[in-house]
Every structure is written in structure tokens, then in C-alpha cells.
Amino acid sequence: MHKSLLTIFSLFLCLTGCKGGENTPTPTPDPVESLHKADTTVVYECNERLFAKQNAFRAIEAYLPALQEMQVNVLWLMPIHPRGTVKTVNSPYCVKDYYAIDPAFGTLADLQSLVSECHKRGIRVILDWVANHTAWDNQWYLDHPEWYTTPVDDEKNWNDVVPLNYTKSAVCTAMQDAMLYWVREADIDGFRCDYAHGVPTAFWQTAIAAIRDIKPSAIMLAETHKVSYFDAGFDWLYSWDYLSGIQSLYQKQKATSTLYTISSKEMSSTPAGKCRLRYTTTHDASSENAPATFYTSPEGQLSAACLTFFLEGVPMIYSSQEIGNMDKINFFNYNILSFADNATRRAYTALLKAYTATAEARYGALTDYSTDHVAMFSRSQGSKEILVIVNTTNAAQEITLPMRWQRNKYTNALTGEQLYSPKSQSLQPYEYIIYSK
């Protein structure tokens, strides 16, 4: 993030408030301020079908200590609703009832418990929201077929869903009311909005204003690359171009300068007070290709994550990457994994602790010292400085440190060790180092 984001973003994420009707639960204070300053937000995309076939919310709640240790402070739950059964392909993005919870995940009380425990730990919860279309057996379609329209070109392959018609005011009202229900009843902190650019910005402007009337600090994430959706009130947009860039860097060994160009272009189109979500995989990406296709190993993906998190943007982890899963995951189905502690999760924990601990330095401008295959850049702000060095290859590399960084006393931000930096740095395959002062 740029320095100019600090004041705006800190105030935005630290506001408090929740008001509503008589069924509104007791408002919870916004999470601990120190976890939500600019450049310390960490998002965890949670695929419930990786945790348990029954009572998934309880399984996720039991995992919260590990998420907190990893510095996660925004939990994104993939769609919680029952899936349609007509023309089904088993997609969680085929919503049968916006007011219901998939029974395999638990009950409303279970969700409320999960949200409450998250808030106690300084973690906000956002729901995945599918506003563009519904299942064919959604009651809305059965009762109001006039609320729907024929698919446009980029929707014609989605045979399991039928698109809503947002020229109908009744559709706008019904969808907004459904979103507000979860803010009021479950104390939800915002939404990740699926295929956001399939829905007119006018709807989002009105709905986001209504959500923030109840919860001023609500987080709104749009799955889109269209910057006009920032004007609709969204805080974060996706970084699709960056994802393609980091995958190409690690798979095809393109020069690091190519990734920097992509990153700079995305960020230059991002207004002050807004940001981009940055990641090395998502539920879509892991469903289309095994992470090993691009990153080879957990160590390779860790290397890519270090570069991604420290370059710019809001970092996001997709559930399964922190335990080193490198296999393809079809998110339409259950793929129960063991989320027991392991070396990969400990490495992500150390990386994200270094990320949050170096926030002040990361407000500064980036100075690039990279070679084609070793990303190296510094940031400084006042007396705070960091130097990030990342080997993007599966081969040993060596790089000469910038003159001013040679043989000075620094801290290894990943280990806490005090040391003198060398003149040249040897790097093992996919190794990354962060010096801080």
C-alpha cells in the first residue's frame, strides 16, 4: 500500500458500530485496532468443504487459534448457502436460498458462535455473496420468473444458474435485504462479492451504503478487475493480472521486472484509500490447476507468497496452501484435509509475523535492486527499513547487496536473529530473506 493509505485505511478499518432492528444481536466492538492498521491486514479464504463433512463451522472455529497465530484478521467464508439441485453441477455459487445455511456447515447459532469467537480474536468475517444469479430452484425464480433474464455471452456456460434482472427494482430490494439479514443476524463484517461486474454499479452503491448504515466499518471486496467498481464503494478489487504474472514468473522463469510492471500498473489504477487483494492461488486457481504446476513445491509457493505479500496490496491465503497442499482441489466437492500443524504452516506464520511487524517500513517507497531471477527491493520510512530478497527459482542463486546494505547490523525479520548483512547473499532454491532495521 502507498503511504497515503495509512490514515484513511486505519480509520476505515477501526470504526465501530452496529444498529438494526429488534432482532439485531448485541453489537460487538470492532476488532483490536492494532490488527487493522494499514499494511497489517491478512485475509484467509476459507473453503468449508476442506474442513469437515458435518459441522464445518465448528471445525473452523477450532482452527481459529492457528489462524490468529498466522496473523489472519479477515476470515472470508466461501458461500454458506444450500446449493440448487436443478441442472446442478454441485457449485457452491449456485444459491438455492439466500436466507439459509447449508446444513452440513451447521446452524445459524453455529455461525453466530464462529463470528463471535472471531471477533474476540480480532478477526473480521466476510461472506461470499453471489448477487448475479441464483439456482433454478431458488424460490425467487419459482415465484417471480419476471425477476430474471437470459444469460449474456460470458454467462452462457453457467447452465446451473439463471441471471437476475437488475432493471427490476424488486430484485434490487430483495438482494439488498438478504445481504442486510446476515449483517444483522450474524454480525457479519462485510462481503466478498462474486462476479461483481455482472451486477450494475448502481445496485452496489445503494447496497453498500445500506450495509455501512448498519456497520460503518464493513469490508467490501469485489471479484472484478474493473476499477469503476471502486467508485461503487468497494474497498478491494482482485489482482487477476498479478496472479498471472506471479504464476508465469515461477513457471516460465520470466524476468522479475515483468512482474513489477504488472504490479505497478494495477496499483497505479487503484485510488488512494483503496487496494488490491494479492494472492498466489485462490479456490478458482487451485481448481483449474494444481499449485505445483506453477510453484513446484510448498517451498516454491512460500517463495512466491513472500514476494507477493511484501510487494504491495492486501495479502490473502487460500485454505490448504498453509499446510503445503500442492494438489488440484475441485471446490465443488468435499476434499477433507488435515490442518494439523506442520513446517509449512510454521513458515507462513513466520512470514506473516514479519509482514505485520514491518508495517511502518513498508509505508515507504520501493527501491528495486532485482536481477532477472532474484527479487530484491527495499522500503524505508523514517528510521525503519527493510530489504526483501527472494529467490524465484529452484536453483541456488547469489546476489550482491546494495552498497548501503552491506555489512551493517540488521535483524532477520523471519527469525529475530541480530546479524551483520553480507556483501553478497547466497540463496538456496526458493529461499527468501528479510532484513529489517
Side-chain angles (χ1 to χ4, degrees):
M1 271 183 209
H2 302 293
K3 179 182 176 183
S4 59
L5 298 184
L6 175 58
T7 302
I8 296 172
F9 200 61
S10 297
L11 288 173
F12 165 73
L13 285 177
C14 296
L15 286 169
T16 184
C18 180
K19 57 185 179 180
E22 61 181 8
N23 293 325
T24 303
T26 302
T28 58
D30 275 355
V32 180
E33 179 178 352
S34 63
L35 289 178
H36 293 282
K37 291 181 180 177
D39 278 355
T40 60
T41 299
V42 177
V43 180
Y44 185 83
E45 181 189 2
C46 183
N47 181 345
E48 300 92 341
R49 291 175 177 84
L50 301 180
F51 283 86
K53 288 189 176 181
Q54 293 294 326
N55 299 315
F57 289 153
R58 295 182 195 174
I60 296 164
E61 186 173 322
Y63 193 54
L64 291 181
L67 294 181
Q68 185 179 22
E69 179 70 7
M70 278 197 298
Q71 310 300 294
V72 169
N73 44 37
V74 176
L75 176 66
W76 153 16
L77 295 174
M78 287 180 65
I80 65 172
H81 311 294
R83 289 174 281 186
T85 58
V86 175
K87 302 183 182 182
T88 183
V89 294
N90 216 34
S91 170
Y93 291 88
C94 176
V95 177
K96 184 175 182 178
D97 185 348
Y98 287 106
Y99 288 89
I101 293 173
D102 186 326
F105 296 167
T107 64
L108 175 60
D110 292 327
L111 176 62
Q112 290 169 331
S113 175
L114 173 58
V115 173
S116 177
E117 287 303 311
C118 282
H119 288 169
K120 290 175 185 177
R121 296 176 180 276
I123 300 172
R124 294 171 187 253
V125 182
I126 62 175
L127 295 186
D128 215 326
W129 197 260
V130 188
N132 177 72
H133 48 261
T134 75
W136 291 89
D137 50 346
N138 188 300
Q139 198 63 40
W140 289 2
Y141 182 73
L142 301 177
D143 292 344
H144 301 285
E146 73 278 8
W147 286 11
Y148 292 79
T149 187
T150 55
V152 295
D153 287 343
D154 58 351
E155 296 172 328
K156 286 181 179 177
N157 291 326
W158 302 352
N159 295 325
D160 61 324
V161 295
V162 56
L164 286 156
N165 184 354
Y166 277 86
T167 66
K168 305 287 187 180
S169 61
V171 170
C172 299
T173 299
M175 186 60 70
Q176 177 177 300
D177 287 349
M179 296 179 81
L180 295 178
Y181 170 84
W182 296 101
V183 179
R184 292 191 176 107
E185 296 301 319
D187 205 13
I188 292 301
D189 300 296
F191 297 90
R192 175 267 184 188
C193 297
D194 181 70
Y195 186 44
H197 57 274
V199 177
T201 56
F203 167 77
W204 290 125
Q205 288 173 332
T206 302
I208 292 172
I211 291 165
R212 290 198 172 124
D213 187 52
I214 299 172
K215 182 160 287 200
S217 58
I219 298 168
M220 299 300 298
L221 163 63
E223 187 203 18
T224 185
H225 64 288
K226 295 188 176 182
V227 295
S228 59
Y229 281 73
F230 279 130
D231 296 332
F234 285 102
D235 308 297
W236 307 331
L237 265 57
Y238 264 47
S239 286
W240 282 327
D241 289 344
Y242 180 88
L243 177 61
S244 296
I246 193 75
Q247 289 174 338
S248 293
L249 174 62
Y250 276 76
Q251 181 187 27
K252 301 175 182 177
Q253 292 298 286
K254 291 191 175 182
T256 56
S257 59
T258 303
L259 183 68
Y260 291 153
T261 299
I262 293 170
S263 178
S264 178
K265 184 178 179 180
E266 277 191 342
M267 295 307 296
S268 66
S269 66
T270 303
K274 308 288 186 176
C275 209
R276 298 284 184 153
L277 194 71
R278 288 281 171 87
Y279 37 83
T280 60
T281 192
T282 65
H283 67 276
D284 282 320
S286 289
S287 185
E288 292 166 2
N289 295 284
T293 302
F294 306 106
Y295 310 114
T296 306
S297 65
E299 292 75 21
Q301 191 165 48
L302 273 160
S303 168
C306 179
L307 175 52
T308 298
F309 297 168
F310 277 83
L311 190 55
E312 238 168 342
V314 174
M316 188 273 284
I317 292 176
Y318 174 52
S319 51
S320 73
Q321 76 177 85
E322 82 274 18
I323 55 173
N325 177 74
M326 301 303 291
D327 297 327
K328 192 174 180 178
I329 294 176
N330 182 345
F331 65 89
F332 288 13
N333 302 319
Y334 281 95
N335 296 274
I336 306 303
L337 300 175
S338 170
F339 284 85
D341 185 31
N342 64 15
T344 304
R345 195 175 82 192
R346 290 192 292 273
Y348 272 104
T349 297
L351 179 60
L352 288 166
K353 283 184 175 180
Y355 175 81
T356 55
T358 60
E360 287 186 62
R362 289 184 290 102
Y363 303 154
L366 181 149
T367 303
D368 181 31
Y369 305 103
S370 301
T371 64
D372 281 352
H373 300 306
V374 176
M376 180 167 65
F377 54 87
S378 67
R379 290 186 184 275
S380 62
Q381 176 75 6
S383 62
K384 303 293 184 181
E385 299 178 289
I386 59 169
L387 181 69
V388 179
I389 310 170
V390 182
N391 183 357
T392 68
T393 75
N394 195 22
Q397 301 284 342
E398 187 161 329
I399 190 168
T400 301
L401 270 62
M403 185 71 69
R404 65 180 300 274
W405 285 88
Q406 295 177 13
R407 295 176 176 144
N408 286 314
K409 190 174 183 180
Y410 293 102
T411 300
N412 182 326
L414 295 164
T415 65
E417 177 188 7
Q418 299 286 314
L419 46 76
Y420 283 89
S421 57
K423 180 178 179 180
S424 64
Q425 182 70 59
S426 297
L427 298 163
Q428 294 302 306
Y430 295 132
E431 184 178 6
Y432 51 88
I433 297 171
I434 303 163
Y435 292 120
S436 68
K437 179 181 178 182

